[in-house]
Amino acid sequence: MKTGWMALLAAAGLMMASMGHAGKDANGLQPGKPISQRFNGDPSPHYFNGRWYLYATDDGSNSGTYWDSTSWRLYTSTNLVDWRDDGAFLDVKTFKWARADAKAWAPEAIERDGRYYFYAPIGGDKIGVAVADHPQGPFRDARTDALVDKARDANAGAEPIDPAIFVDGDGQAYLYFGTRVPKVVRLKKDMIHTDGPIMDVAITGFPSGDAKKKYGEAPFLHAHEGLYYFSFSTGWPGQIVYGTAKLPMGPFAYRGVILDYLPISTNHQAIVEQGGRSWLFYHDNLLPGGGDHRRSITIAPLSYAKDGTILPVKRVAPE
């Protein structure tokens, strides 16, 4: 037990040593600083061809009383510090089978074999997939119907939203999604067709003394030093917690909290490893006039203890 705590403290010390005087890290990144003065949420960050691309829900175009925007927004950067707003690059109207006023929620993207795939939860009951030759588009519908459809597909769950893509070292791609019960389905190599049944993701070992520790939404999978880390939000409001497994489909053993409750109703994360460092992307209430439906994406460094435990990330409030 003592050894575990010493490892945690040592790793925390390393993380603090990497931070500068104004809360900035060695790269100039300032946790708690929004990437844009425009409201945005549900980050899907990726490093493509030497540049960062962050696909997001466009809170700047919603009603302010609900997450009812109908387009997604793209932000790009070369250094994680300075972000350019590249505008609304895709609208639900791209998908002819979708209602023109369907809600455009938390997106995902992936590159494979030189093509870029965008996974779009539409209207709360379907997930579409679009494809492009460049990460900024133009994207076109890769199918003539939804990739996942609540009305069509067995075990799609109450709300097939929040898609997250993981491609394992053997080339197998997985799609994670869903609220209240996490789902996973294998994808074919073409990235636009499922390969087998939709399955529930099992998470074991939740603390019995905390009824709030349960899966809510925002599934995300990443790998680190031979382990698969499944992170998610516990609800509304929720913590970002995680479990680990030796296989990408689990079952995942609960390990702890990454990010505590925020002063908004949702919590949504992504974890990216690049250049030997790890980053946590999430949204928070950071701008004047912000709140539950007007969120702001920010970035924080993420570190691990020697035993593979993720060190909790402390929220940095806006100045």
Side-chain angles (χ1 to χ4, degrees):
M1 191 69 178
K2 181 178 179 181
T3 301
W5 278 109
M6 290 177 67
L8 284 169
L9 290 170
L14 287 172
M15 183 173 68
M16 292 302 295
S18 71
M19 303 294 288
H21 288 293
K24 298 180 180 179
D25 78 345
N27 289 358
L29 183 69
Q30 186 174 347
K33 179 182 178 182
I35 65 162
S36 172
Q37 292 302 301
R38 183 184 179 89
F39 294 118
N40 46 47
D42 305 320
S44 174
H46 302 273
Y47 191 74
F48 296 142
N49 305 319
R51 191 174 187 87
W52 289 95
Y53 293 82
L54 196 163
Y55 305 87
T57 301
D58 186 20
D59 284 7
S61 65
N62 70 28
S63 64
T65 59
Y66 196 65
W67 306 280
D68 50 13
S69 59
T70 59
S71 61
W72 295 271
R73 209 158 185 95
L74 176 63
Y75 300 85
T76 59
S77 175
T78 57
N79 57 13
L80 285 179
V81 177
D82 305 299
W83 290 87
R84 185 179 73 190
D85 183 347
D86 284 358
F89 70 100
L90 188 65
D91 188 281
V92 296
K93 294 177 183 177
T94 298
F95 304 96
K96 303 303 182 185
W97 44 265
R99 288 172 53 99
D101 62 349
K103 300 177 291 294
W105 284 353
E108 172 66 305
I110 196 73
E111 181 274 332
R112 187 155 197 178
D113 297 331
R115 306 186 84 189
Y116 299 86
Y117 299 88
F118 183 81
Y119 297 84
I122 297 172
D125 59 356
K126 296 179 179 66
I127 297 174
V129 56
V131 65
D133 295 324
H134 306 281
Q136 69 274 21
F139 284 88
R140 62 187 183 279
D141 190 355
R143 302 166 49 112
T144 58
D145 60 353
L147 173 64
V148 176
D149 188 332
K150 176 181 176 179
R152 181 194 68 202
D153 301 323
N155 199 33
E159 279 188 302
I161 64 171
D162 294 357
I165 300 291
F166 178 80
V167 180
D168 205 1
D170 63 0
Q172 178 62 59
Y174 301 86
L175 167 65
Y176 300 83
F177 65 92
T179 61
R180 296 171 181 84
V181 177
K183 308 292 183 178
V184 61
V185 63
R186 291 181 175 90
L187 295 181
K188 293 183 178 180
K189 192 174 180 181
D190 66 7
M191 303 301 288
I192 65 171
H193 293 95
T194 58
D195 189 9
I198 297 171
M199 303 176 67
D200 293 349
V201 177
I203 307 160
T204 64
F206 282 122
S208 58
D210 188 348
K212 294 182 178 180
K213 288 290 193 302
K214 58 186 177 182
Y215 176 84
E217 62 177 353
F220 188 86
L221 191 80
H222 77 282
H224 178 78
E225 295 188 352
L227 271 181
Y228 297 94
Y229 289 73
F230 185 68
S231 55
F232 54 93
S233 170
T234 59
W236 309 271
Q239 295 173 311
I240 296 300
V241 303
Y242 75 104
T244 58
K246 293 183 178 179
L247 297 171
M249 296 182 75
F252 295 90
Y254 176 80
R255 295 286 295 271
V257 176
I258 300 175
L259 183 66
D260 209 348
Y261 297 103
L262 300 174
I264 50 176
S265 63
T266 63
N267 208 336
H268 196 116
Q269 83 300 342
I271 296 171
V272 180
E273 300 195 345
Q274 176 63 35
R277 300 194 66 184
S278 299
W279 312 99
L280 175 71
F281 292 71
Y282 64 98
H283 62 225
D284 198 352
N285 181 4
L286 299 174
L287 289 174
D292 290 351
H293 307 104
R294 294 283 174 87
R295 304 160 295 183
S296 297
I297 294 170
T298 189
I299 311 165
L302 183 139
S303 299
Y304 301 82
K306 289 184 178 179
D307 66 355
T309 300
I310 294 177
L311 298 177
V313 173
K314 184 177 181 181
R315 177 183 186 257
V316 178
E319 297 179 355

